[in-house]
Amino acid sequence: MTDDPIENASRGLLNDSELFSIPGDPFPTLTDDQLQRIAPYGVRETHPKDTILFKKGDRLVDWYVVVQGSIELFETMDGSEQSITVLEKHQFTGELALFNSRGVLSSARMRAAGSTIIVARAQLKKLLAAEPALAQLILRAAILRRAILVAHRHVGSLLLGTRRSNDTLRIETFIRRNGLAIRTLLEEDGEFAATMKDHRLLVGDLPAVIYSNGDIDRNPTNVQLAERLGFTEPLDTSQVYDVAIIGAGPAGLAAAVYAGSDGLNAIVLEAEAPGGQAGTSSRIENYLGFPLGVTGRDLAARALIQAQKFGAAISLPRTVSKLDCARFPYELLMSDKSSLKARSVVIATGASYRKLDVPNYDKYEAAGIHYAATTIEAAICKSEEIIVVGGSNSAGQAAVFLSQTAACVHMVVRASEFATSMSDYLIGRIKGSSKITIHYNSVVTGLVGDRYLEAVEWHNTVTDHSEVHPAGNIFVMLGAVPNASWLKDCVVMDGQGFIRTGGPFQGSCHVQRPSFALETTQPNVFAIGDVRSGSTKRVATAAGDGAIAMGSVYEVLNSEEPLPITPPQSHPGH
């Protein structure tokens, strides 16, 4: 590793995401021929020295290509300006914010007087569609630059917290899963006490986030974090979308990619972060095209960029609380009281984690209970004894991953063998690991601890023997409950709450056609991925659902079928 942060970041050395280790130049210089092909899409303007072209946090920023002079990218941190890089003749601005409505991560000004070609975002989209080679060059540069800017911000945003606080974990996870980096200081770190004193913080203020401009938020919500860090995207409530996709897991992101590539006006609404449950997976080794495996976070990041490349809007954190099926276009109501309309809806909300039925469970949800095993949790549990509950694929992946850093891993499995859904390669690794102990025919019966989890008790149903093991962290991998209760007045579900698809339509509609395979009992409303009844709960099939559903959506929207909802009858004299 060199001392140059830009060179290191461009090589993928300052970011733990494999996505950003792709080869390429983050600051390429365009040829004369490339410049000539770009020129018709923009307008040429001259700028005096020190002209501010855009500021950090600005949204919907245009794309600038340097014709003469130079542009400096910089950031203001703690009241002082820090230069990131200088773009010379035939170089261009822009990172991943070019493909969404998020705030840009740096400011830009003319370092030397000159001229630029300014390409508006709508024109840039046309350019990317018409010039595939240029599109590849621009997108690759945008991805690499995001890595550089994330690494550059790393010293500017700071999280102060305690190791056993789930709010500390929530904040760090939310920020990292949304593609930004944050430096975390815990109570045992050498700088912790001095930093607390410098910022006049007390233990009761934790967790606290210190931003690059010096502002401090004490235990901010995810919505507050998104607004502060500039990755909320405003809803355009004035338009009717072709399709609204609810959920940005593998199914929802696949749907967004195919919707955008088919030219549909699509929006994705996600409550937390791209990737869903798959986004928290430490490594997915049986997904087609990744022979060395891929982390859930990286798979989600790649899919997100791909969806945005094709023009799909991604809005988060957005929680949909109701789908109004009594009108058309359909109306989606958000938890913040905002709403939007769409001609078709794709439900990809996945499932939430199933919990243990033991006393005081809620007490430890913020103090030792986990539902995902990522590098963040692995760091928390380093050299400790931990418990993994469950016998499914997710439990096996968690146990293998955590065994790399934990002192030992106990797997508590209710059945006499692992679930038939667990991959054979995982079973082999678990049984071959000297750090993993399997407890079959066992159920967790108690959690012990004062303020934090300190021990776990389980009972063997065959031997009738109970045992207690000291453990500060337990990973509950017991499957999931569908996130579909908010749709109970709109679509038909099975006995477990998963959404039924492929059946006859119900309600006040006069659509005569048969439903599509992934269409719900409400026409133009589809269910895909884990929330769908009968789904196989695999990343590959979830992504396949997204592709299949969008083929059906495209056919529905381009047919001459009548509106799904029967219009209200008019009455004489009214």
Side-chain angles (χ1 to χ4, degrees):
M1 181 181 292
T2 71
D3 293 327
D4 183 351
I6 289 179
E7 183 179 349
N8 289 335
S10 67
R11 293 178 180 177
L13 298 177
L14 286 184
N15 193 292
D16 60 2
S17 173
E18 295 163 357
L19 173 67
F20 298 124
S21 64
I22 63 172
D25 184 356
F27 300 104
T29 299
L30 299 168
T31 65
D32 290 337
D33 176 65
Q34 289 171 327
L35 198 68
Q36 288 175 9
R37 282 186 280 148
I38 291 168
Y41 293 90
V43 294
R44 184 164 173 171
E45 289 191 10
T46 59
H47 313 277
K49 183 178 183 296
D50 293 329
T51 299
I52 298 295
L53 303 178
F54 52 82
K55 294 181 179 179
K56 187 176 82 170
D58 287 350
R59 300 175 186 270
L60 303 174
V61 169
D62 292 332
W63 189 54
Y64 292 82
V65 181
V66 181
V67 179
Q68 295 291 337
S70 60
I71 294 175
E72 181 180 27
L73 302 181
F74 67 96
E75 183 177 19
T76 302
M77 298 175 62
D78 298 326
S80 62
E81 291 183 355
Q82 294 189 15
S83 179
I84 298 172
T85 194
V86 175
L87 303 173
E88 303 289 356
K89 182 179 177 180
H90 288 201
Q91 293 186 307
F92 52 85
T93 63
E95 40 92 21
L96 287 179
L98 279 175
F99 302 93
N100 54 51
S101 301
R102 294 185 178 188
V104 294
L105 295 185
S106 67
S107 302
R109 64 175 163 225
M110 296 300 296
R111 180 170 181 174
S115 61
T116 65
I117 296 173
I118 305 175
V119 181
R121 292 167 73 95
Q123 288 296 104
L124 178 61
K125 186 175 180 180
K126 294 179 181 179
L127 168 64
L128 297 177
E131 298 282 353
L134 273 171
Q136 286 288 96
L137 179 118
I138 294 167
L139 182 59
R140 181 181 287 108
I143 293 171
L144 292 169
R145 290 179 187 189
R146 172 54 66 99
I148 291 168
L149 292 170
V150 165
H152 198 266
R153 287 169 63 90
H154 189 74
V155 297
S157 298
L158 178 66
L159 170 62
L160 293 170
T162 56
R163 179 174 294 276
R164 305 300 296 275
S165 163
N166 269 27
D167 276 321
T168 301
L169 181 63
R170 170 186 61 82
I171 291 169
E172 183 173 13
T173 301
F174 180 74
I175 291 174
R176 291 188 183 278
R177 285 190 64 194
N178 279 288
L180 296 178
I182 188 165
R183 184 184 177 207
T184 302
L185 281 181
L186 302 177
E187 65 268 34
E188 64 267 29
D189 294 325
E191 303 170 51
F192 181 84
T195 305
M196 289 281 287
K197 183 178 180 180
D198 289 345
H199 293 277
R200 299 179 180 179
L201 290 169
L202 303 175
V203 173
D205 295 323
L206 301 181
V209 178
I210 304 170
Y211 302 99
S212 59
N213 63 359
D215 289 347
I216 299 175
D217 275 341
R218 293 160 174 80
N219 198 17
T221 65
N222 288 354
V223 172
Q224 289 172 322
L225 287 166
E227 290 173 348
R228 281 281 200 175
L229 295 170
F231 58 83
T232 54
E233 296 194 36
L235 286 176
D236 184 357
T237 57
S238 65
Q239 65 172 302
V240 177
Y241 290 91
D242 289 330
V243 57
I245 301 163
I246 309 173
L253 289 174
V257 168
Y258 286 97
S261 63
D262 284 340
L264 298 179
N265 181 16
I267 185 168
V268 180
L269 305 164
E270 166 57 41
E272 294 184 12
Q277 287 191 29
T280 67
S281 178
S282 56
R283 186 152 295 272
I284 302 168
E285 295 199 53
N286 57 356
Y287 189 71
L288 185 67
F290 292 90
L292 299 180
V294 60
T295 67
R297 175 184 167 190
D298 285 319
L299 187 63
R302 291 170 186 266
L304 179 68
I305 294 169
Q306 197 171 12
Q308 292 174 334
K309 167 189 171 183
F310 286 118
I314 314 289
S315 185
L316 57 86
R318 298 280 181 189
T319 301
V320 181
S321 57
K322 182 180 180 181
L323 172 61
D324 188 345
C325 289
R327 65 177 68 189
F328 189 84
Y330 293 121
E331 184 173 18
L332 295 104
L333 306 176
M334 314 294 158
S335 58
D336 63 0
K337 309 304 180 185
S338 61
S339 65
L340 61 81
K341 293 181 174 63
R343 297 167 61 206
S344 64
V345 178
V346 175
I347 311 298
T349 46
S352 55
Y353 301 104
R354 200 178 297 276
K355 301 180 179 182
L356 290 169
D357 183 17
V358 296
N360 298 319
Y361 186 84
D362 292 346
K363 172 182 176 181
Y364 301 105
E365 275 205 286
I369 295 173
H370 306 280
Y371 301 100
T374 70
T375 53
I376 298 173
E377 288 83 7
I380 292 173
C381 305
K382 186 177 181 180
S383 302
E384 294 184 6
E385 190 169 345
I386 61 174
I387 315 295
V388 174
V389 184
S392 64
N393 239 38
S394 59
Q397 288 173 339
V400 170
F401 176 68
L402 293 168
S403 67
Q404 299 173 41
T405 54
C408 64
V409 177
H410 295 277
M411 290 194 73
V412 180
V413 182
R414 177 185 292 270
S416 58
E417 188 49 86
F418 289 121
T420 55
S421 60
M422 184 181 286
S423 301
D424 187 63
Y425 78 88
L426 267 181
I427 295 174
R429 289 185 185 178
I430 292 167
K431 293 183 176 180
S433 173
S434 61
K435 296 180 70 176
I436 301 175
T437 303
I438 310 167
H439 305 268
Y440 293 119
N441 304 305
S442 298
V443 292
V444 174
T445 53
L447 303 176
V448 182
D450 184 10
R451 184 177 175 187
Y452 301 107
L453 180 67
E454 296 173 5
V456 176
E457 179 185 46
W458 60 82
H459 179 76
N460 188 299
T461 56
V462 174
T463 66
D464 200 31
H465 173 70
S466 294
E467 54 186 300
V468 177
H469 277 266
N473 295 280
I474 182 171
F475 291 79
V476 181
M477 306 289 186
L478 295 176
V481 179
N483 292 323
S485 59
W486 56 281
L487 287 162
K488 61 183 178 181
D489 297 327
C490 189
V491 301
V492 174
M493 304 176 191
D494 66 16
Q496 295 180 302
F498 292 93
I499 301 173
R500 291 190 181 277
T501 57
F505 296 132
Q506 298 185 8
S508 58
C509 68
H510 57 272
V511 175
Q512 300 303 313
R513 63 172 173 81
S515 65
F516 286 93
L518 299 180
E519 199 167 12
T520 69
T521 50
Q522 189 71 32
N524 293 32
V525 177
F526 297 77
I528 60 176
D530 288 3
V531 77
R532 176 176 64 84
S533 179
S535 65
T536 58
K537 311 300 184 286
R538 294 276 185 160
V539 174
T541 51
D545 274 8
I548 295 169
M550 290 320 303
S552 303
V553 168
Y554 188 84
E555 187 171 337
V556 166
L557 295 181
N558 286 278
S559 71
E560 296 182 357
E561 286 285 338
L563 299 179
I565 308 301
T566 303
Q569 299 297 315
S570 59
H571 300 283
H574 290 272

